[in-house]
């Protein structure tokens, strides 16, 4: 029978990834066949988790105590005004507009970011209609209306973080009928979130633009949001300077005679092909 | 008193990975260097100064861990990386998402995904607070050894910090402490 310390050492080697593949697989097979060994592994894993958490607690307390001794503020930084994202976007739009006015026609083409901003124009607002008393199940209608009210307030206030949260809750919720609409505005919220971060020069671990594009791609093309989703999805490729994918996406729009953005798509393709 | 920070990111990373007392000094200096981020936090999350300080501390600990486990590969500067994680921690604080959930990837970074899943299935849902309470029942010496091991110190560094003659002695003592801790944990109902 294995000595307790030897077992601890053996399990330690496993948890630290020090076993070669064959040895590790043999160990796991042994655990599956031996309940006591499996329990010992589970307990030691829990011990490691506890040790790590304990060590982090101590280090956290040390650093917090260190922070509290620092002069405040550490650097002479003024807090930025609350409206800075809107101010940054407005400034960008004004600069683009002036540039467009000053440039003679047919002169230096706008870059992709400028084309993107120009094509986006005014962001679509999120509106919803209450249908009180019309539906057979008014409680369901009330639940849906309340959810939309929350999402709309956040979205229209440009609090895209809150809008994303609200819309994510509505996604795949059977109480919410209009899933294409949820997907569409969720996709847009992700795109506007990335725009805000870009305008502020802030990095993010989350690629909101990619999330936006993927969400917009889920929108049923037969729904009333299908055409809009395809348009903004194509524009999001442009925002990433991904012209090689943006052009085919825009050509797919231009190929639809009744698409509401057909003319804009064709014009954008011409401009992109000038680059 | 904090010591001066090494001049380049590469030197900072090397110092942290080298471990020991030098690592702690470097960490403390790095923590102070970017503490101003707390005052430049995104205002829309409406965090108090204390919440922002805590978010910064959590972000900093995550960055140090990523440096040690080589998850941070130096593709951006430490400052950019820390700023990014700090922002995400602010979002977490705002959403009250800070829980006692275990970050498996950080506890067993060297296990392949399949093995990590295998262990996770065995362990089930653990209460972190209950697990940590067992450590409090160990002797002070074991607590010191496990604390340093938990912070990523190698046996040689633990030996140096705590006055063991060799790295092997420190390692043996760590295993003994771990075995004691296991016995304490086993004394309670573990599997959910």
């Amino acid at each position: 029978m294995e000595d307790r310390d030897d077992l601890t050492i053996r399990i330690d080697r496993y948890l630290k990834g020090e076993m070669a593949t064959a040895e590790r697989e043999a160990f796991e097979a042994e655990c599956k066949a031996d309940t006591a060994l499996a329990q010992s592994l589970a307990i030691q894993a829990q011990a490691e988790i506890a040790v790590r958490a304990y060590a982090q607690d101590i280090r956290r307390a040390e650093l917090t105590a260190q922070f509290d001794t620092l002069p405040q503020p550490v650097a002479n930084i003024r807090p930025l005004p609350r409206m800075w994202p809107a101010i940054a976007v407005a400034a960008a739009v004004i600069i683009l507009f002036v540039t467009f006015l000053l440039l003679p026609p047919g002169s230096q083409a706008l870059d992709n970011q400028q084309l993107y901003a120009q094509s986006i124009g005014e962001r679509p607002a999120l509106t919803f209609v209450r249908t009180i008393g019309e539906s057979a199940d008014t409680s369901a209608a009330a639940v849906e209306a309340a959810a939309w009210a929350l999402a709309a307030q956040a979205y229209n206030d440009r609090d895209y973080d809150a809008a994303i949260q609200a819309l994510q809750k509505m996604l795949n919720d059977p109480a919410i009928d209009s899933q294409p609409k949820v997907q569409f505005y969720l996709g847009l919220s992700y795109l506007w979130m990335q725009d805000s971060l870009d305008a502020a020069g802030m990095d993010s671990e989350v690629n909101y633009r990619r999330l936006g594009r993927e969400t917009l791609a889920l929108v049923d093309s037969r729904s009333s949001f299908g055409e809009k989703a395809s348009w903004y999805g194509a524009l999001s490729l442009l925002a990433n300077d991904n012209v090689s994918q943006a052009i085919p996406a825009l050509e797919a729009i231009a190929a639809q005679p009744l698409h509401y953005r057909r003319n804009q798509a064709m014009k954008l393709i011409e401009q992109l092909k000038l680059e | 008193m904090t010591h001066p920070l090494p001049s380049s990111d590469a030197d900072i990373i090397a110092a942290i990975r080298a471990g020991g007392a030098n690592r702690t000094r470097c960490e403390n200096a790095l923590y102070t260097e970017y503490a101003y981020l707390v005052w430049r936090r995104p205002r829309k999350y409406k965090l108090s100064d204390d919440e922002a300080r805590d978010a910064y501390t959590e972000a900093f600990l995550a960055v140090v861990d990523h440096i040690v486990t080589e998850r941070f590969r130096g593709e951006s500067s430490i400052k950019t990386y820390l700023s990014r994680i700090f922002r995400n921690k602010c979002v977490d604080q705002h959403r009250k998402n800070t829980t006692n959930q275990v970050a498996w990837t950080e506890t067993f970074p060297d296990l392949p995904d399949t093995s990590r899943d295998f262990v996770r299935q065995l362990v089930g849902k653990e209460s972190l607070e209950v697990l940590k309470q067992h450590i409090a029942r160990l002797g002070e010496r074991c607590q010191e050894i496990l604390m340093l091991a938990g912070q990523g110190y190698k046996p040689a560094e633990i030996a140096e910090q705590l006055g063991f003659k060799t790295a092997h002695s420190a390692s043996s003592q760590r295993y003994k402490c771990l075995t004691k801790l296991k016995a304490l944990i086993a004394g309670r109902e573990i599997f959910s």
Side-chain angles (χ1 to χ4, degrees):
Chain A
M1 189 176 164
E2 207 168 0
D3 172 74
R4 245 187 229 170
D5 278 355
D6 287 340
L7 181 58
T8 299
I9 292 169
R10 192 168 159 225
I11 294 176
D12 194 56
R13 287 189 55 239
Y14 170 77
L15 291 172
K16 283 195 159 61
E18 289 172 4
M19 288 184 176
T21 307
E23 191 187 357
R24 188 179 67 246
E25 287 173 358
F27 179 74
E28 286 171 7
E30 205 182 328
C31 286
K32 284 173 185 166
D34 183 345
T35 315
L37 179 61
Q39 185 164 4
S40 199
L41 168 59
I43 290 171
Q44 192 159 330
Q46 291 184 329
E48 286 293 348
I49 290 164
V51 162
R52 186 188 150 78
Y54 166 73
Q56 290 284 60
D57 284 351
I58 291 180
R59 191 69 181 117
R60 189 178 291 115
E62 287 171 354
L63 290 171
T64 302
Q66 181 181 323
F67 185 94
D68 290 342
T69 66
L70 297 173
Q72 302 169 12
V74 175
N76 187 21
I77 305 288
R78 280 185 304 135
L80 295 168
R82 289 182 64 188
M83 291 297 293
W84 61 262
I87 290 169
V89 170
V93 169
I94 289 168
I95 289 168
L96 279 173
F97 182 68
V98 169
T99 306
F100 183 75
L101 282 179
L102 292 177
L103 282 174
S107 70
Q108 183 183 352
L110 297 177
D111 70 23
N112 295 330
Q113 297 301 319
Q114 291 166 326
L115 284 174
Y116 170 76
Q118 189 180 69
S119 303
I120 289 287
E122 193 171 320
R123 294 174 180 177
L126 204 178
T127 56
F128 67 101
V129 178
R130 292 176 191 271
T131 53
I132 297 173
E134 289 179 30
S135 167
D137 184 353
T138 54
S139 64
V143 164
E144 181 163 358
W148 277 117
L150 194 66
Q153 184 175 10
Y155 178 92
N156 295 330
D157 280 350
R158 292 180 178 240
D159 186 357
Y160 297 118
D161 220 352
I164 286 166
Q165 280 185 68
L167 289 161
Q168 277 176 340
K169 277 186 194 159
M170 295 167 72
L171 200 61
N172 301 321
D173 183 347
I176 308 294
D177 267 345
S178 42
Q179 285 297 313
K181 185 176 175 180
V182 174
Q183 288 160 344
F184 176 66
Y185 280 103
L186 179 58
L188 289 189
S189 298
Y190 284 134
L191 295 187
W192 309 152
M193 181 73 156
Q194 188 66 57
D195 284 355
S196 299
L197 291 171
D198 288 351
M202 287 180 75
D203 290 331
S204 170
E205 278 191 303
V206 178
N207 187 337
Y208 287 107
R209 195 163 286 133
R210 181 179 59 80
L211 276 175
R213 191 164 49 251
E214 288 172 0
T215 306
L216 289 169
L218 294 174
V219 177
D220 188 346
S221 58
R222 298 163 299 180
S223 75
S224 58
F225 293 94
E227 288 189 354
K228 293 178 190 173
S230 64
W231 171 244
Y232 288 104
L235 291 182
S236 73
L237 291 162
L238 197 56
N240 275 351
D241 285 328
N242 193 344
V243 175
S244 61
Q245 289 192 2
I247 289 178
L250 290 165
E251 285 173 343
I253 291 171
Q256 298 172 53
L258 300 178
H259 197 290
Y260 87 114
R261 289 288 190 181
R262 181 169 181 262
N263 289 343
Q264 285 96 331
M266 287 164 66
K267 195 173 163 190
L268 201 46
I269 292 166
E270 279 175 37
Q271 288 171 295
L272 289 172
K273 285 184 174 174
L274 281 176
E275 290 182 356
Chain B
M1 177 183 154
T2 52
H3 289 254
L5 198 57
S7 53
S8 72
D9 276 5
D11 290 340
I12 292 170
I13 291 167
I16 290 175
R17 287 182 184 163
N22 201 31
R23 167 183 162 177
T24 305
R25 281 193 287 270
C26 179
E27 280 181 19
N28 291 345
L30 189 65
Y31 182 82
T32 300
E33 177 80 1
Y34 295 119
Y36 70 84
L37 288 172
V38 172
W39 313 110
R40 292 186 68 178
R41 63 188 182 268
R43 293 289 162 188
K44 68 174 177 176
Y45 298 120
K46 300 184 178 76
L47 298 184
S48 67
D49 288 349
D50 282 353
E51 285 170 338
R53 176 203 61 199
D54 291 346
Y56 174 69
T57 303
E58 288 306 317
F60 181 81
L61 288 171
V63 168
V64 167
D65 185 74
H66 293 182
I67 288 174
V68 168
T69 56
E70 298 185 22
R71 199 167 141 187
F72 173 69
R73 290 180 291 272
E75 286 158 356
S76 66
S77 67
I78 292 177
K79 177 187 167 185
T80 301
Y81 195 70
L82 177 56
S83 302
R84 200 181 304 160
I85 295 182
F86 172 58
R87 188 191 170 277
N88 290 339
K89 294 293 181 187
C90 286
V91 171
D92 287 348
Q93 280 275 22
H94 179 64
R95 294 178 184 169
K96 303 286 187 254
N97 259 352
T98 46
T99 66
N100 267 333
Q101 286 173 2
V102 174
W104 282 84
T105 51
E106 288 163 14
T107 308
F108 305 116
D110 298 315
L111 268 185
D113 288 346
T114 48
S115 295
R116 212 177 291 143
D117 288 341
F118 175 70
V119 174
R120 196 192 326 239
Q121 279 168 26
L122 287 178
V123 171
K125 289 187 182 176
E126 62 291 316
S127 162
L128 200 52
E129 288 313 311
V130 170
L131 290 176
K132 284 196 283 185
Q133 281 166 19
H134 293 304
I135 297 177
R137 294 164 62 190
L138 294 171
E140 201 177 314
R141 191 66 167 159
C142 272
Q143 287 180 24
E144 281 180 325
I145 293 166
L146 293 179
M147 180 200 72
L148 289 175
Q151 287 183 2
Y153 282 66
K154 313 264 186 315
E157 292 153 6
I158 296 173
E160 187 194 328
Q161 292 267 333
L162 298 181
F164 287 99
K165 283 188 181 162
T166 63
H168 184 260
S169 306
S171 215
S172 294
Q173 195 54 43
R174 176 184 158 257
Y175 287 129
K176 286 187 164 60
C177 292
L178 207 48
T179 303
K180 280 187 197 170
L181 180 57
K182 283 170 66 178
L184 288 172
I185 292 173
R188 286 178 167 249
E189 203 55 44
I190 298 299
F191 294 103
S192 59

